């Protein structure tokens, strides 16, 4: 694969910045799109940084897409309500579709989606979740983030674009070690909701490398092909906490997620209450995070030539970098 020009949206974010670094490490040129400041990329060779709002400046986006070989679309909201998701995830994606659809030749697309789109209730406990698994069938019962990622995939699949939908697990790295698959944390106390099953984690460096490999790789068929991105040798919850060492909560209170599931199911039957409850007190978000499952990265390794990080090494690197 020769030198490519890659457009990275959300280049100032946690995944986006590492994706720029991974692209440069593989000899590519990068057009980095950020919402506010280009300061992080000042003086970097082979990086052209452009600052504007993806969802509001269609003209700038159309110019930015011109003459690039692939687009890695990282820009998205990580939290917030449906309005925030519309503004920061769905509106920019619509603008990107419009810009790419009027560009010839059309660049390859790599969407940074989420493993959260898979349906936790459709498979038995400890089942293997891979690209062939069903997607969430009741998005209204999930959180705004999952609904937006499902809608994002749907609109892109219907747009006639070619490339990949990457579905990373919980992305961790220096400065971001925690994830929602453990249970609620209150200061030094963690209420650990069960232990069985794997936590679907992927180190940010390994995730970024996979995204660049996808940008380099022709998909095996038309449209957008999904790939799940998780580390090798995924941990259960006890092993994850052990790997944190002194960064782990001082007090861990085990509690069965099934107990909380029964409570959440009862509360969901109270008229008008279900939509106001936090995720861990609503059945489907709770099961998506806590129901025991296993996760496969075999397809991503086969089609992208990706060598994922092993969890122990990824966590060690993240802790050392943070220190």
């Amino acid at each position: 694969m020769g030198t490519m020009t890659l457009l990275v949206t959300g280049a100032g974010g946690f995944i986006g910045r590492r994706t720029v670094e991974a692209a440069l490490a593989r000899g590519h040129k990068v057009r980095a799109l950020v919402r506010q400041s280009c300061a992080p990329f000042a003086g970097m060779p082979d990086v052209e940084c452009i600052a504007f709002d993806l969802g509001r400046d269609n003209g700038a986006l159309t110019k930015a897409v011109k003459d690039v070989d692939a687009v890695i679309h990282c820009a998205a909201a990580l939290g917030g309500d449906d309005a925030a998701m519309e503004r920061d995830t769905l509106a920019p994606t619509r603008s990107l579709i419009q810009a790419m659809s009027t560009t010839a030749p059309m660049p390859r697309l790599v969407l940074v989606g989420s493993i959260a789109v898979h349906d936790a209730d459709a498979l038995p406990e400890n089942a293997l979740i891979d690209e062939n698994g069903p997607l969430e069938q009741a998005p209204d019962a999930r959180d705004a983030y999952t609904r937006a990622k499902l809608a994002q995939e749907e609109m892109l699949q219907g747009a006639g674009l070619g490339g990949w939908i990457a579905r990373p697990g919980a992305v961790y790295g220096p400065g971001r070690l925690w994830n929602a698959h453990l249970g609620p944390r209150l200061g030094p106390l963690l209420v650990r909701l069960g232990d069985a099953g794997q936590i679907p984690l992927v180190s940010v460096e390994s995730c970024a490398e996979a995204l660049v490999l996808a940008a380099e790789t022709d998909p095996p068929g038309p449209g957008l092909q999904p790939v799940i991105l998780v580390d090798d040798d995924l941990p259960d919850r006890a092993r994850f906490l052990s790997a944190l060492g002194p960064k782990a909560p001082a007090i861990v209170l085990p509690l069965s997620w099934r107990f909380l599931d029964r409570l959440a199911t009862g509360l969901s039957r109270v008229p008008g209450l279900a939509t106001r409850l936090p995720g861990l007190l609503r059945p489907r978000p709770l099961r998506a995070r806590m129901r025991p499952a296993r996760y496969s990265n075999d397809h991503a390794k086969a089609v992208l030539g990706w060598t994922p990080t092993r969890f122990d090494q990824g966590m060690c690197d993240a802790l050392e970098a943070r220190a």
Side-chain angles (χ1 to χ4, degrees):
M1 173 62 64
T3 298
M4 301 174 68
T5 298
L6 305 182
L7 177 69
V8 179
T9 73
F14 186 64
I15 297 175
R17 194 172 300 186
R18 268 68 170 201
T19 301
V20 172
E21 294 169 358
L24 295 174
R26 291 185 62 82
H28 301 308
K29 297 179 180 180
V30 177
R31 192 169 292 166
L33 302 191
V34 299
R35 176 176 287 181
Q36 295 178 333
S37 174
C38 283
F41 304 107
M44 292 181 66
D46 294 324
V47 176
E48 175 191 3
C49 181
I50 309 171
F52 65 93
D53 189 325
L54 286 179
R56 296 185 177 182
D57 196 335
N58 291 348
L61 184 54
T62 299
K63 292 179 183 177
V65 170
K66 187 178 180 181
D67 298 325
V68 301
D69 298 294
V71 176
I72 303 177
H73 185 34
C74 302
L78 294 179
D81 59 12
D82 288 310
M85 295 297 157
E86 170 60 34
R87 181 184 65 246
D88 297 330
T89 297
L90 300 181
T93 300
R94 290 191 196 95
S95 297
L96 183 62
I97 289 171
Q98 181 179 351
M100 291 184 66
S101 297
T102 57
T103 300
M106 187 184 294
R108 180 179 299 133
L109 175 67
V110 181
L111 170 68
V112 182
S114 174
I115 204 169
V117 298
H118 285 271
D119 192 335
D121 278 355
L123 298 171
E125 287 189 21
N126 293 307
L128 184 69
I129 293 178
D130 62 15
E131 290 80 2
N132 296 316
L135 301 186
E136 177 60 63
Q137 298 300 303
D140 288 344
R142 293 285 297 275
D143 54 276
Y145 174 80
T146 301
R147 286 192 291 274
K149 299 311 277 186
L150 284 162
Q152 188 182 38
E153 285 199 16
E154 183 177 2
M155 71 170 69
L156 286 166
Q157 288 285 20
L161 306 178
W164 304 90
I165 294 176
R167 294 176 183 158
V171 182
Y172 70 95
R176 186 185 292 182
L177 301 176
W178 204 249
N179 64 80
H181 293 266
L182 294 162
R185 184 173 182 176
L186 306 170
L189 171 67
L190 166 67
V191 181
R192 192 186 74 196
L193 299 178
D195 189 32
Q198 296 175 331
I199 304 178
L201 300 167
V202 62
S203 79
V204 66
E205 286 82 7
S206 192
C207 179
E209 180 187 19
L211 297 175
V212 176
L213 287 171
E216 297 173 354
T217 305
D218 289 325
L224 297 168
Q225 305 296 314
V227 282
I228 287 177
L229 304 181
V230 290
D231 283 351
D232 276 341
D233 193 26
L234 291 171
D236 60 18
R237 289 160 181 80
R239 185 170 151 222
F240 177 87
L241 292 172
S242 177
L244 284 178
K247 301 291 186 183
I251 305 169
V252 177
L253 176 64
L255 179 68
S256 171
W257 71 272
R258 291 179 180 83
F259 168 78
L260 210 57
D261 187 41
R262 289 192 291 270
L263 175 61
T265 300
L267 291 174
S268 69
R269 298 190 179 107
V270 178
L273 181 60
T275 57
R276 302 200 303 270
L277 293 170
L280 290 177
L281 288 178
R282 288 184 285 128
R284 292 188 82 89
L286 172 67
R287 294 170 197 157
R289 299 175 189 176
M290 302 301 170
R291 193 175 190 180
R294 297 173 295 122
Y295 301 87
S296 173
N297 58 18
D298 289 344
H299 184 58
K301 290 192 283 189
V303 296
L304 301 180
W306 181 47
T307 303
T309 301
R310 293 180 65 84
F311 164 72
D312 287 337
Q313 185 61 56
M315 180 57 75
C316 181
D317 292 345
L319 289 168
E320 288 180 357
R322 191 181 189 191

